[in-house]
Amino acid sequence: MGGTISFDHDGLDKFANTDLKNFLDEFEKSEAYKAVVQFSSQGGSGTGAAGTPYTKLLPGYQTFPSALSLQNGFTGLCTTLAADLDTLGKQVLAAQRELRRTIRLMDTAHEEAMTAAEMLEVLNTVISAGGNKPTGK
């Protein structure tokens, strides 16, 4: 069940700054997403007249209860879907920001990290200053 996840700086950077950016760009430009928003309660009531896009389902004569019910149901579906897609976009954007922050932390940690040789040098200096060297016992 359990596993190990590993990543490197370049892979994380590509994911955050290229892959997620492309996803968000495509998401915002998507004609399907725009259509869902237009057919939702946020959209208009365009019927296709005078070059306006259809933004309301026209299932037939509205005096039929089933036609009005279908129209309202479809608007409700699109409203819910638009809200869910909006939430998804916000979550991906937040993940992208968090990944960028993680990359900055990794860069800072890398710059501040000491090599093993540097650490031994510091320890030798500290031990030498005390006058007592470990005997290894």
Side-chain angles (χ1 to χ4, degrees):
M1 288 279 161
T4 302
I5 297 176
S6 64
F7 56 89
D8 62 7
H9 183 276
D10 293 337
L12 190 61
D13 186 59
K14 179 187 176 295
F15 182 69
N17 294 313
T18 302
D19 298 339
L20 287 181
K21 181 186 179 313
N22 290 344
F23 174 82
L24 289 168
D25 290 346
E26 288 178 30
F27 183 76
E28 288 182 12
K29 294 175 186 174
S30 169
E31 292 299 320
Y33 173 70
K34 291 176 186 176
V36 166
V37 171
Q38 286 301 311
F39 275 98
S40 74
S41 60
Q42 303 170 37
S45 59
T47 58
T52 61
Y54 286 99
T55 58
K56 190 169 189 177
L57 186 65
L58 303 173
Y61 196 64
Q62 290 188 356
T63 56
F64 293 126
S66 60
L68 189 56
S69 175
L70 176 62
Q71 187 179 56
N72 291 337
F74 187 73
T75 298
L77 170 71
C78 289
T79 299
T80 301
L81 183 56
D84 290 345
L85 290 173
D86 186 50
T87 299
L88 172 66
K90 288 176 183 175
Q91 289 174 338
V92 170
L93 188 59
Q96 183 187 41
R97 278 193 294 260
E98 191 63 27
L99 286 171
R100 286 178 174 166
R101 189 178 79 74
T102 301
I103 291 168
R104 283 193 306 275
L105 287 172
M106 287 173 63
D107 289 342
T108 301
H110 178 72
E111 292 168 5
E112 294 177 0
M114 297 178 82
T115 65
E118 291 171 331
M119 182 65 77
L120 285 174
E121 195 175 309
V122 169
L123 288 173
N124 279 331
T125 304
V126 170
I127 291 170
S128 297
N132 297 325
K133 291 191 178 186
T135 60
K137 293 182 184 179

